Amino acid sequence: MVGSQVDRLASIEARQGRIIDAVTEFGDRHPHTAQVWGALSLDFTGIAFAGLFFCWSLTPSLLPRDWLFQGLVGGINVAIGYGVGCAVGWVGNRLLARRPWWPPPLPVLRAIKVAVPVAVVLASLVALVFASRQQRQLAALMNAEGTTTSGYLRTLALAAAVALTLIATWRGLRELAGIVAWQLVRRLRMPPGAARSLGALLVVLVVFMLIDGVLARGAYAGLNWVFGIQNDETRPGVTQPLVPEKSGSPESFAAWDTLGYQGRDFVGRGLDAAELTAINGAPAREPIRVYSGFETADTPEARADVVIDELERTDAFDREVLVIIPTTGTGWVNPTAAMMMELVHNGDVALVAWQYSYMPSWISFLADREKAAAAGDMLIDRVYNRWLAQSAEHRPKLYVYGESLGTQSGEGAFDTVAAIRDTVDGVLWVGPPNSNRLWRQLVDRRDPGTTEVEPVYADGLVVRFADDRESIGEPDTPWLFPRILYLQHASDPVVWWSPDLIFSRPDWLSEPPGPDRLPQMRWFPFVTFWQVSADLTNAAGVPDGHGHNYGTTVLDGWIAVTAPAGWTEADTERVRFALTVIDDLQGPEK
């Protein structure tokens, strides 16, 4: 028995020796070819895990994905899976190194290395067919156009290209770390083990500093320049307002050419008193729209001074309603929401907003969230303090409206629900990002038995969460004024995206799905994070009522928060119809 084991070990050592000699001889004869083959060869355990991660990435997420988005998501996850597989293979080899049956005979090893890639490709093709079917089901759930099976098969080629690029980049960094380690051994006589560790650490630090410092700041500066150029443009058809109730008019303290692209769009559009009168059938006032652009003054404090001066100049504090609108990064205000407020209050309303950055919302969310919160805090604080100076009997109702990153900016002014109720007469927040501090606290403290997608907080007494117009009235319990309402879709990636998706499953993926999410969506480490990240890029590219597109549900939310005197369901439908007609007339360039 012992002799047979000794013979077996000797045979293994001899075979390994022959393999090493053959590889060494090949490398000596063809050094460049050996290097190329080493660079191109892939670990078969890594390939197996890469295939698993790719199939996971094909499972449905929040929004329908076409083959291009799926290819990018799949490629990233293939690269991650390959890295995980290589690590597992390395650990496995270490654990099995002393087993008499390891490594397996060379023919078996060759068969495995052929069978694994073939099985991965076949499994991926089958998974793609099923995935295309699920993508069509998800698209039908949102009344959107679905993909085709033949078109979806292109995903595999794109995913492979993306994954190979990422793997090649990693290998290049690994080779660089080896070069650094060799130089440490050669020049400083450092022990090889310590040199390898230090070399890897140095490369990681350099790459981190390049990304976090030079590249990130350079990219930010470049993007700031690019979007700064766009900020100087004006949307076709938008002209300078001539009525004094608008910032940018000849009487305004905020010059037209300083308001920026979104600011000029905000004050240059909307309905005038005559149009409001025609729609509502009652004499209307000329709505007030106050705005301060990023270039209106040199500092945030000076821009806030302009806002207050504009509010006083236009007699905004004598209106029935004053609405503070913390904006997204570029200063964008939802034009449908702005017109909705003016229609509901028949022009007896003042809307105030400002711009604090050139960056679009998604860049500000990643790189400038603190700036957004600080901007919202300053805007609300300054307007509120001036509002307090007005005599109580002549103060307008004071509301806050925010959408997307604007909700994060607006939340920056309040620490608690009590602070909101002590400051304003109501809040409507639409599509809040998952990182919103106050929103997160309320959802985490939801009533037992309610879900993260459809939470109920304190029996809905003050704060409510709604997915559509019907759920605004839920639960059927008293709702006290001032009211706070969050509109959030179960399919909105802005609401559900979080870095925590990398390693932990959120409650919303453990609970029953919302009304427009497929129950087949599952959480997988790494994979789900990149799926929802890809959904972010198309968050508003789906029909109204889904994703980050809230449509006229905002109208129902506004009516619920403000409760206008004498308002009826017929009034709501009249305004909804008017908004739909205006939206159709404006076309895609809204």
Side-chain angles (χ1 to χ4, degrees):
M1 183 73 175
V2 174
S4 62
Q5 289 182 350
V6 171
D7 293 340
R8 173 66 173 164
L9 289 173
S11 175
I12 291 172
E13 292 177 356
R15 185 169 69 249
Q16 290 177 338
R18 289 194 298 271
I19 294 172
I20 293 172
D21 291 341
V23 172
T24 303
E25 181 183 357
F26 179 82
D28 291 339
R29 293 180 180 179
H30 312 282
H32 299 295
T33 306
Q35 290 176 1
V36 171
W37 177 251
L40 292 177
S41 63
L42 295 173
D43 180 86
F44 74 91
T45 309
I47 293 175
F49 274 79
L52 177 63
F53 273 59
F54 178 70
C55 291
W56 280 352
S57 75
L58 294 174
T59 57
S61 58
L62 295 174
L63 300 178
R65 297 190 304 273
D66 62 16
W67 72 273
L68 181 61
F69 277 125
Q70 181 56 59
L72 295 174
V73 174
I76 293 172
N77 286 296
V78 165
I80 294 173
Y82 180 79
V84 172
C86 289
V88 170
W90 182 83
V91 172
N93 281 324
R94 288 293 181 118
L95 294 176
L96 299 175
R98 296 184 180 181
R99 303 287 183 178
W101 41 266
W102 189 264
L106 194 57
V108 175
L109 197 60
R110 287 174 176 169
I112 293 174
K113 289 187 175 182
V114 172
V116 167
V118 171
V120 164
V121 172
L122 292 177
S124 299
L125 290 173
V126 172
L128 277 167
V129 173
F130 282 98
S132 64
R133 183 183 305 170
Q134 290 178 332
Q135 290 298 320
R136 287 193 291 272
Q137 292 173 351
L138 184 57
L141 203 60
M142 300 183 179
N143 298 314
E145 184 178 355
T147 186
T148 62
T149 301
S150 58
Y152 218 60
L153 292 176
R154 293 175 290 183
T155 295
L156 186 58
L158 179 59
V162 172
L164 289 174
T165 301
L166 294 174
I167 293 171
T169 301
W170 164 253
R171 288 186 169 183
L173 294 174
R174 187 180 64 184
E175 292 298 323
L176 180 60
I179 294 172
V180 173
W182 169 246
Q183 292 299 323
L184 292 174
V185 171
R186 179 184 176 189
R187 297 180 182 275
L188 302 180
R189 306 299 182 187
M190 186 176 290
R196 285 194 294 270
S197 299
L198 183 57
L201 179 62
L202 289 173
V203 170
V204 169
L205 288 175
V206 170
V207 171
F208 176 79
M209 287 188 293
L210 283 174
I211 294 176
D212 188 59
V214 178
L215 293 180
R217 292 179 183 177
Y220 190 81
L223 290 170
N224 204 49
W225 178 76
V226 169
F227 290 111
I229 292 176
Q230 184 190 41
N231 191 65
D232 294 333
E233 299 175 355
T234 302
R235 186 190 299 276
V238 173
T239 58
Q240 181 181 10
L242 300 179
V243 294
E245 288 84 359
K246 303 290 192 295
S247 291
S249 64
E251 295 88 347
S252 174
F253 297 121
W256 168 254
D257 59 357
T258 70
L259 297 183
Y261 182 89
Q262 299 294 354
R264 286 188 287 274
D265 192 58
F266 173 64
V267 301
R269 301 169 69 188
L271 303 173
D272 58 26
E275 292 169 321
L276 292 171
T277 299
I279 294 172
N280 288 329
R285 299 187 68 178
E286 188 68 37
I288 294 173
R289 292 194 178 191
V290 166
Y291 197 92
S292 178
F294 195 64
E295 298 176 357
T296 300
D298 294 332
T299 66
E301 293 76 12
R303 290 192 287 273
D305 290 338
V306 173
V307 166
I308 300 302
D309 291 342
E310 282 288 278
L311 289 172
E312 292 177 342
R313 181 188 65 80
T314 57
D315 291 328
F317 294 102
D318 291 327
R319 292 299 175 103
E320 176 191 8
V321 171
L322 173 59
V323 186
I324 306 172
I325 307 177
T327 64
T328 61
T330 57
W332 175 79
V333 176
N334 185 336
T336 301
M339 285 189 291
M340 169 204 74
M341 297 170 190
E342 292 167 344
L343 280 164
V344 169
H345 303 287
N346 206 26
D348 198 7
V349 59
L351 312 180
V352 54
W354 72 348
Q355 178 190 19
Y356 57 85
S357 172
Y358 291 141
M359 297 296 182
S361 185
W362 66 273
I363 298 179
S364 295
F365 171 71
L366 294 174
D368 237 359
R369 279 182 280 182
E370 292 183 1
K371 185 176 182 180
D377 184 21
M378 178 177 290
L379 177 64
I380 293 173
D381 183 65
R382 291 294 300 274
V383 174
Y384 171 70
N385 285 328
R386 174 59 185 83
W387 176 82
L388 279 179
Q390 196 82 354
S391 60
E393 61 272 16
H394 292 105
R395 287 177 192 159
K397 290 285 188 180
L398 184 62
Y399 297 100
V400 174
Y401 171 82
E403 188 165 341
S404 193
L405 188 65
T407 69
Q408 195 164 79
S409 181
E411 279 193 5
F414 309 105
D415 294 326
T416 63
V417 169
I420 296 175
R421 304 186 77 229
D422 289 341
T423 305
V424 298
D425 294 293
V427 167
L428 175 60
W429 278 323
V430 179
N434 193 270
S435 59
N436 278 20
R437 177 187 50 79
L438 186 57
W439 176 87
R440 185 74 266 168
Q441 291 175 359
L442 296 172
V443 172
D444 287 344
R445 298 173 184 173
R446 63 188 179 273
D447 294 351
T450 64
T451 65
E452 188 173 15
V453 172
E454 298 177 339
V456 176
Y457 178 80
D459 290 327
L461 191 64
V462 174
V463 182
R464 295 204 174 182
F465 303 82
D467 179 87
D468 53 26
R469 58 184 301 192
E470 288 77 17
S471 59
I472 292 174
E474 299 173 357
D476 187 17
T477 55
W479 189 6
L480 303 182
F481 292 95
R483 292 175 170 178
I484 301 169
L485 175 62
Y486 287 94
L487 296 181
Q488 54 185 54
H489 288 152
S491 59
D492 187 353
V494 174
V495 177
W496 308 117
W497 181 91
S498 169
D500 294 339
L501 288 171
I502 297 176
F503 296 114
S504 61
R505 175 169 50 205
D507 290 347
W508 59 272
L509 277 174
S510 303
E511 301 163 343
D516 57 352
R517 178 170 68 83
L518 288 179
Q520 292 92 330
M521 184 178 181
R522 297 287 186 271
W523 176 82
F524 301 103
F526 297 105
V527 174
T528 303
F529 170 79
W530 290 111
Q531 286 179 319
V532 180
S533 296
D535 288 337
L536 283 173
T537 63
N538 191 41
V542 291
D544 288 355
H546 307 283
H548 200 55
N549 199 341
Y550 289 83
T552 59
T553 305
V554 177
L555 170 63
D556 301 283
W558 186 254
I559 298 301
V561 169
T562 60
W567 194 265
T568 66
E569 182 63 26
D571 295 324
T572 300
E573 293 311 311
R574 184 189 69 252
V575 172
R576 195 190 313 278
F577 178 75
L579 291 172
T580 302
V581 171
I582 294 169
D583 188 68
D584 291 340
L585 291 175
Q586 289 176 339
E589 190 70 20
K590 303 186 231 187

